[in-house]
């Protein structure tokens, strides 16, 4: 699969995301080939491709099929036409699915390559699978004659980042009825990702520009291609902005799944995977309160996804709101077999059936804002929680992220899942000295994967302390790693 999108980036940017045959992200071993092809001059492209097919033992592309889709950027149609011409020139088959979210294309690729076992390989099949699972899970409460919802409100306010996800919400809404009422803003009539969307809300720690939030309302934001989601609200008593990012979503999902796994009576290995950007409070809460194993990996969904596959049920989320849960085939088969076992208790059988429906609600191929939104809403309804109750599980440590322009980002090398700088020499010890001055202080630096900047992350017990620590570390990076442009100022 090929998805034409630049995700959470500005409207004028564009690019492609490549999807492997199981609907997952392209394996690292293929990245070097993609990088090589992307960087050769046009005059040498044919020779490069011929050498590549020869070295990889590719004899014919006639039975190969590439499915592709695009987002709503003005540059996407011409790139889609170029892609289609390239696929045909290579002698392969192709199918254009038009406007889709990135996760929808991932879903379709897996459906095709599992011969429909994962679902119907169409956009309609995607909506059917998710909506049917959501409706079933929400109606379980009614079937069991549980008390009516007293705290959870079915109204959700959604910022769709003026992206491709905006056009999909009315289709979803038509299948959900009154179980979830979505009020849409940034519905595609404005500029894509401009002062709105998940990335803006996460980094700026404030609502999208032009949004007037009423205290207590539950809000969420997608990014431009709908593979990220964050939640947020304005406090009823203090009128403060509260962000429920990927860490908060991960803990909500992991806690719910842990309880459900226990009810099945099966010894399934549940784990949660984070990156260095995960808030320290979330890691402590998961480890100490939920008693769920936590693994830390380098930044990047490919690392998270790969690590999550080591668990029977692996939950992963980046703090930016990109994440999902993965269930191994053996665990899924065991749940199916156990749910039909007449010798176990009704309670166990129902728990297995419930967990199977939850799995149907999850897009396991990649982070999916629509799927994750339905999962969060289902869990909040099942617990009868509002956003305030969800947020009270633990309190995030205040944090700050900064960027430092450098001459050459490769000067920065990291280790320990990017939590420590191994070069330049002396930088990590200098960071450690700064961190030691702050209560609950933590900071790390890592080079950008795409441009010559170094990203700085810091957290501490107060926002002013986190800001000061971030600035101190930014100054250290500028001095020791070849900073260029305006020098960061100590606050």
């Amino acid at each position: 699969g090929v998805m034409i999108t630049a995700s959470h980036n500005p409207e004028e940017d564009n690019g492609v995301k490549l999807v492997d045959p199981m609907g997952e992200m392209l394996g690292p071993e293929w990245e070097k080939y993609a990088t090589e092809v992307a960087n050769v001059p046009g005059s040498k492209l044919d020779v490069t491709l011929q050498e590549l097919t020869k070295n990889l033992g590719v004899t014919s592309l006639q039975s190969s099929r590439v499915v592709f889709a695009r987002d709503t950027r003005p540059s996407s149609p011409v790139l889609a036409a170029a892609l289609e011409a390239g696929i045909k020139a290579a002698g392969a088959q192709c199918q254009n699915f038009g406007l889709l979210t990135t996760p929808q294309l991932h879903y379709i690729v897996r459906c095709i390559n599992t011969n429909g076992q994962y679902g119907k390989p169409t956009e309609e099949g995607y909506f059917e699978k998710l909506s049917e699972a959501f409706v079933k899970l929400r109606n379980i409460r009614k079937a069991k004659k549980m008390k009516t919802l007293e705290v959870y409100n079915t109204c959700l306010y959604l910022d769709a980042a003026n992206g491709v996800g905006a056009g999909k919400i009315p289709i979803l809404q038509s299948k959900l009825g009154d179980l979830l009422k979505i009020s849409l803003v940034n519905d595609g009539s404005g500029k894509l990702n401009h002062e709105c969307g998940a990335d803006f809300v996460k980094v700026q720690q404030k609502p999208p520009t032009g949004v007037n939030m009423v205290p207590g309302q539950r809000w969420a934001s997608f990014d431009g291609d709908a593979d990220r989601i964050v939640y947020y609200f304005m406090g009823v008593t203090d009128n403060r902005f509260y962000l429920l990012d990927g860490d908060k979503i991960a803990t909500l999902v992991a806690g719910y799944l842990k309880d459900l796994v226990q009810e099945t009576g099966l010894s399934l290995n549940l784990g949660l995977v984070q990156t260095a950007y995960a808030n320290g409070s979330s890691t402590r809460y998961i480890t100490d309160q939920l008693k769920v194993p936590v693994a830390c990996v380098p930044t990047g969904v490919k690392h998270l996804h790969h690590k999550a596959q080591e668990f029977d049920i692996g939950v992963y989320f980046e703090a930016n709101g990109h994440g999902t849960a993965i269930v191994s085939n053996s665990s899924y088969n065991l749940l199916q077999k156990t749910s039909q076992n007449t010798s176990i208790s009704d309670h166990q059988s129902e728990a297995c059936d419930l967990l199977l429906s939850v799995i149907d609600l999850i897009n396991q191929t990649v982070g999916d804002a629509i799927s994750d939104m339905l999962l969060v809403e289902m869990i909040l309804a099942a617990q009868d929680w509002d956003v305030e109750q969800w947020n009270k599980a633990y309190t995030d440590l205040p944090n700050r992220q900064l960027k430092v322009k450098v001459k050459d980002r490769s000067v920065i090398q990291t280790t320990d899942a990017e939590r420590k700088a191994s070069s330049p020499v002396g930088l990590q010890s200098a960071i450690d000295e700064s961190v030691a001055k702050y209560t609950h202080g933590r900071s790390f630096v890592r080079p950008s994967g795409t441009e010559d900047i170094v990203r700085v992350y810091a957290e501490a017990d107060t926002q002013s302390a986190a800001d000061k620590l971030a600035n101190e570390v930014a100054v250290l990076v500028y001095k020791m790693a070849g900073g260029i442009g305006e020098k960061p100022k100590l606050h």
Side-chain angles (χ1 to χ4, degrees), residues 79-317:
L79 288 175
L83 173 65
E84 185 168 358
I87 295 166
K88 288 177 177 176
Q93 303 170 43
C94 66
Q95 185 174 359
N96 183 356
F97 277 87
L99 289 170
L100 290 181
T101 69
T102 293
Q104 285 180 320
L105 185 72
H106 281 259
Y107 161 88
I108 286 169
V109 171
R110 180 174 286 195
C111 289
I112 291 169
N113 287 313
T114 57
N115 296 316
Q117 284 186 342
Y118 191 68
K120 297 176 188 172
T122 61
E123 183 178 19
E124 178 59 25
Y126 167 90
F127 282 119
E128 271 180 24
K129 183 177 180 180
L130 294 190
S131 61
E132 285 174 9
F134 180 79
V135 170
K136 178 181 176 180
L137 288 160
R138 283 295 315 277
N139 284 337
I140 284 173
R141 171 178 283 273
K142 295 177 183 176
K144 289 187 175 181
K145 295 184 172 60
M146 296 168 75
K147 66 180 183 180
T148 54
L149 293 167
E150 296 175 353
V151 178
Y152 174 77
N153 189 323
T154 56
C155 295
L156 172 68
Y157 296 84
L158 177 65
D159 153 37
N162 290 311
V164 68
K168 308 305 180 184
I169 293 303
I171 304 171
L172 178 68
Q173 183 66 78
S174 69
K175 298 178 182 300
L176 302 181
D178 292 335
L179 293 174
L180 183 63
K181 301 167 193 168
I182 304 170
S183 296
L184 201 58
V185 301
N186 296 317
D187 58 0
S189 54
K191 190 176 180 183
L192 176 74
N193 289 328
H194 182 64
E195 296 187 348
C196 62
D199 196 56
F200 176 85
V201 173
K202 168 66 178 169
V203 174
Q204 300 296 326
Q205 305 268 314
K206 64 182 183 182
T209 300
V211 163
N212 295 312
M213 295 170 63
V214 173
Q217 283 180 341
R218 188 171 68 258
W219 279 80
S221 284
F222 288 179
D223 70 332
D225 67 338
D227 66 356
R228 295 183 184 184
I229 184 171
V230 295
Y231 274 76
Y232 46 98
F233 68 97
M234 199 73 76
V236 174
T237 56
D238 58 8
N239 278 0
R240 267 184 60 198
F241 175 83
Y242 290 92
L243 177 68
L244 296 145
D245 62 7
D247 296 338
K248 290 279 187 178
I249 296 171
T251 53
L252 180 75
V253 172
Y256 179 80
L257 289 176
K258 188 202 173 192
D259 290 344
L260 204 47
V261 167
Q262 285 180 333
E263 287 182 32
T264 67
L266 301 173
S267 56
L268 297 175
N269 177 21
L270 171 70
L272 194 144
V273 190
Q274 295 184 318
T275 71
Y277 284 106
N279 196 277
S281 288
S282 75
T283 309
R284 279 191 289 275
Y285 172 73
I286 296 158
T287 307
D288 300 341
Q289 302 295 318
L290 296 181
K291 307 289 186 188
V292 170
V294 177
C296 187
V297 296
T299 304
V301 178
K302 60 189 177 188
H303 301 298
L304 289 149
H305 194 90
H306 181 72
K307 190 69 178 177
Q309 289 174 323
E310 295 179 15
F311 297 96
D312 292 331
I313 301 177
V315 179
Y316 73 81
F317 272 86

Side-chain angles (χ1 to χ4, degrees), residues 367-386:
D368 182 342
I370 292 175
S371 166
D372 291 338
M373 174 186 75
L374 293 177
L375 182 60
V376 167
E377 295 299 324
M378 182 277 295
I379 295 172
L380 291 178
Q383 310 278 36
D384 195 18
W385 282 0
D386 60 15

Side-chain angles (χ1 to χ4, degrees), residues 46 70 88 144 166 174 192 224 289 293 398 401 409 446 459:
D46 56 341
R70 60 182 171 87
K88 288 177 177 176
K144 289 187 175 181
S174 69
L192 176 74
Q289 302 295 318
Q401 294 184 46
R409 68 182 184 272
R446 57 178 289 270
E459 63 187 27

